[in-house]
Amino acid sequence: MSFESLGLAPSLLKSLVKQNYSKPYPIQLAAIPAILDNRDVLGIAKTGSGKTASYVLPILTKLQGRKFTKNRQVNVLVLVPTRELAEQVKEVFRIFSDDLVTPIKTMAVYGGVSINPQMKALFGINVLIATPGRLLDLIDSKALELSNVETLVLDEADKMLNLGFEDEMKRIFSLLAKKRQNLLFSATLSDELEGINKVLLNDPKVIQIASFFEEPELINEVGYFVSDEKRVLYFAI
Ligand code: AMP
């Protein structure tokens, strides 16, 4: 199966060639048609599976041919646990937005940096990638409204829960329009996450990608104190 047969916007096919994406990865084969079909998706897949492009490509396709009025209401919200992931996801949106016929504006917001430039820049944005805490700060400052979000993505949802963002996530869900598409990606499934899935997802397409390398469940780290004379240095050649 090729990218050509998945129903993506023709301008994206050019970018896929530029990025050397010659064949869709399994998660992309399963997720792209479901997302284009407006279905909710539950993707159990780790980083490295190609999960980011599996939602970025159909989301950009669905935004093509639309007319947008410039305001503080975003069309797509991607919630992520960390600033690093926010930047990575933004970069994937950016590389695939170069040749689009309908230009799509993407922005990433996260804490640990000044909020004022983010407040100013949040005008006429289509796709917002955000960490939960900073997103709520921006909403409370009236820099942004979520009532027009058509697609919500939770990326690394398990990590967001592990970092203690559950209350923030629930508050964010309550600010969204009831009718929307929900895409949830997680490396693992836990009882807490099952709770979120039940509230959020409506008859989702479930995609589970086995990881190539099984990771150990637990890594034990042990330290020993040694005197200087007993210390030996090993060099790997
Ligand atoms: P991700 O799991 O989304 O973090 O993606 C892992 C890596 O795979 C990234 O470096 C992507 O650019 C790359 N990638 C994703 N899909 C494809 C594809 N179909 N062909 C080649 N590289 C890809």
Side-chain angles (χ1 to χ4, degrees):
M1 263 270 216
S2 63
F3 277 114
E4 281 79 2
S5 58
L6 293 180
L8 294 170
S11 48
L12 282 174
L13 299 177
K14 269 203 255 170
S15 306
L16 283 161
V17 174
K18 271 199 221 161
Q19 297 303 323
N20 291 322
Y21 280 38
S22 50
K23 270 175 69 183
Y25 285 175
I27 193 165
Q28 295 158 359
L29 276 178
I32 291 172
I35 298 172
L36 290 175
D37 211 17
N38 295 319
R39 285 195 63 183
D40 282 3
V41 165
L42 170 62
I44 309 298
K46 296 197 166 135
T47 295
S49 59
K51 64 171 169 66
T52 321
S54 83
Y55 66 81
V56 169
L57 296 168
I59 283 175
L60 289 174
T61 297
K62 284 171 46 150
L63 292 171
Q64 290 306 284
R66 301 261 308 265
K67 285 212 161 49
F68 301 108
T69 24
K70 277 198 158 193
N71 52 32
R72 292 191 174 270
Q73 300 187 340
V74 295
N75 307 92
V76 176
L77 174 66
V78 185
L79 279 184
V80 294
T82 60
R83 155 196 192 138
E84 290 74 25
L85 186 61
E87 283 297 338
Q88 278 171 35
V89 172
K90 190 180 101 181
E91 181 59 13
V92 180
F93 272 102
R94 192 196 61 76
I95 59 175
F96 288 118
S97 295
D98 276 358
D99 295 309
L100 292 177
V101 176
T102 307
I104 299 300
K105 285 188 87 182
T106 303
M107 184 179 165
V109 293
Y110 37 76
V113 292
S114 169
I115 196 167
N116 288 343
Q118 295 180 348
M119 287 167 69
K120 282 199 195 116
L122 263 173
F123 192 74
I125 295 296
N126 304 108
V127 178
L128 183 67
I129 303 135
T131 51
R134 178 51 59 99
L135 181 75
L136 286 170
D137 290 344
L138 286 160
I139 290 167
D140 291 340
S141 316
K142 306 256 178 293
L144 164 78
E145 255 218 51
L146 296 184
S147 53
N148 259 10
V149 170
E150 304 146 28
T151 305
L152 169 72
V153 184
L154 302 191
D155 198 343
E156 295 194 0
D158 50 348
K159 194 162 176 186
M160 261 188 289
L161 290 175
N162 291 343
L163 289 175
F165 282 130
E166 187 168 358
D167 289 347
E168 283 91 340
M169 286 158 77
K170 287 189 173 150
R171 202 184 138 207
I172 292 165
F173 302 158
S174 75
L175 299 171
L176 298 165
K178 293 271 170 294
K179 198 173 170 306
R180 59 168 198 269
Q181 183 176 34
N182 300 294
L183 313 173
L184 192 149
F185 292 87
S186 180
T188 54
L189 261 187
S190 62
D191 288 348
E192 269 170 314
L193 197 67
E194 280 292 348
I196 299 260
N197 295 349
K198 281 203 190 102
V199 198
L200 215 59
L201 302 176
N202 175 27
D203 184 26
K205 163 114 184 157
V206 180
I207 305 164
Q208 187 145 16
I209 303 293
S211 111
F212 190 68
F213 297 106
E214 276 311 317
E215 281 170 26
E217 292 265 300
L218 189 69
I219 296 175
N220 257 337
E221 287 190 40
V222 184
Y224 295 98
F225 287 101
V226 285
S227 58
D228 271 353
E229 61 275 15
K230 286 195 179 151
R231 225 159 75 186
V232 183
L233 287 179
Y234 290 98
F235 293 98
I237 302 172

